Amino acid sequence: MDENHLLELSLLEANYWWHVNKRQLVFRFLDSQNISKSRILEVGCGGGLLSSLLTQAGANVIATDISINATRAAKNLGVTKSTIFDAGQPWPFKNYSFKAVIMLDVLEHIADDIACLREARRVLRRDGIAVLTVPAHPFLFSSWDKILGHHRRYSKSLLQLALRKAGFQTILISYHNVLSFIPALIIRGKDRLFNGRIESAEFPRVPEIINKCLKWWGRLESALISINLPIGLSFFIVLKS
């Protein structure tokens, strides 16, 4: 992750609707599987807040990232175990080590995503789950994705193929971030139409009242996501090994 983007993430993720809504989905599914207090690996811990909250909830968490500043951020928030490694390479953990593996907006950064998924499955216990988010819709791929270091956005069929090749069984694949889809379609379309370039990947600032409304919408999405939402800017995925 770009260090400027990491700094922005650290400053925003506690209250910004995008991050709050993702964390809510993760906790919902970990709790539903009685995993929230188990041994959990977060790959790509970013600003470290999710690993910190899981630790506070009683989980035995290892926060990992390719960036030393990300793992330091997690430690500063009270996470006691962290490791620096490249998720695109063999993972430095034994087979069947974790009850849950969490990768939020990580897989699109990995050149060989299937190899990465196979490593995630290898370190999962046989009764464990993996929780992922990835960006949806390849036709939305733009300079914004390039700035963030994305190799791809996923269609549902491309995602399902990668998961099958890695040996995972699917519990849930649903769109989420429904309300973000139309604004993203307009912005990315303008980017292409005028041959423009998005110069930064900053999260768009919104007034606090809008932020609160979007967090309320996130709670609604979290309640409905098990029925597989029909559209959205991202995919939310739950897998078993």
Side-chain angles (χ1 to χ4, degrees):
M1 178 181 288
D2 175 83
E3 295 302 324
N4 290 330
H5 190 65
L6 176 61
L7 175 61
E8 183 193 22
L9 177 62
S10 299
L11 294 173
L12 290 179
E13 66 175 342
N15 187 54
Y16 191 71
W17 65 273
W18 178 281
H19 309 294
V20 171
N21 293 352
K22 278 198 298 185
R23 289 196 302 271
Q24 183 171 253
L25 282 170
V26 171
F27 270 99
R28 177 184 180 87
F29 276 87
L30 292 181
D31 286 340
S32 73
Q33 301 291 320
N34 297 314
I35 289 176
S36 57
K37 298 185 185 301
S38 302
R39 191 164 193 244
I40 297 173
L41 175 67
E42 184 182 12
V43 179
C45 65
L49 184 56
L50 175 59
S51 283
S52 173
L53 292 173
L54 287 167
T55 299
Q56 292 171 38
N60 179 5
V61 180
I62 299 181
T64 74
D65 204 283
I66 197 171
S67 166
I68 189 172
N69 289 329
T71 58
R72 283 174 176 166
K75 284 185 175 181
N76 290 339
L77 292 175
V79 180
T80 58
K81 300 175 184 177
S82 64
T83 300
I84 304 164
F85 81 100
D86 182 350
Q89 302 297 321
W91 293 13
F93 305 106
K94 295 179 180 179
N95 295 353
Y96 314 122
S97 295
F98 300 97
K99 189 68 179 287
V101 172
I102 300 170
M103 294 193 293
L104 304 184
D105 294 330
V106 170
L107 200 61
E108 64 273 15
H109 294 269
I110 307 299
D112 190 343
D113 55 347
I114 295 171
C116 178
L117 286 167
R118 285 174 175 154
E119 284 294 282
R121 183 170 178 266
R122 179 183 65 77
V123 303
L124 265 181
R125 285 170 41 177
R126 296 192 187 280
D127 60 345
I129 66 169
V131 180
L132 295 80
T133 58
V134 297
H137 308 298
F139 67 85
L140 288 178
F141 193 92
S142 70
S143 55
W144 186 87
D145 293 279
K146 294 176 183 177
I147 290 171
L148 288 175
H150 293 176
H151 289 273
R152 68 194 72 80
R153 301 181 72 91
Y154 287 88
S155 65
K156 195 167 189 177
S157 60
L158 178 63
L159 182 58
Q160 289 172 325
L161 178 61
L163 297 174
R164 283 198 303 271
K165 286 184 175 180
F168 274 112
Q169 300 178 59
T170 301
I171 297 175
L172 174 70
I173 298 178
S174 175
Y175 288 105
H176 82 112
N177 287 330
V178 173
L179 293 183
S180 300
F181 177 71
I182 295 300
L185 190 65
I186 293 169
I187 292 169
R188 312 290 168 82
K190 181 180 177 182
D191 181 33
R192 288 179 181 163
L193 183 63
F194 296 101
N195 198 28
R197 286 191 57 81
I198 298 171
E199 296 299 332
S200 74
E202 292 182 356
F203 295 104
R205 303 299 193 268
V206 295
E208 183 54 29
I209 185 64
I210 301 299
N211 193 55
K212 288 180 178 179
C213 289
L214 290 169
K215 287 192 286 186
W216 175 86
W217 177 263
R219 291 193 292 273
L220 179 61
E221 274 198 15
S222 180
L224 296 175
I225 202 161
S226 60
I227 65 173
N228 293 323
L229 299 175
I231 197 66
L233 192 61
S234 306
F235 284 112
F236 180 76
I237 307 129
V238 184
L239 308 166
K240 60 182 180 179
S241 60

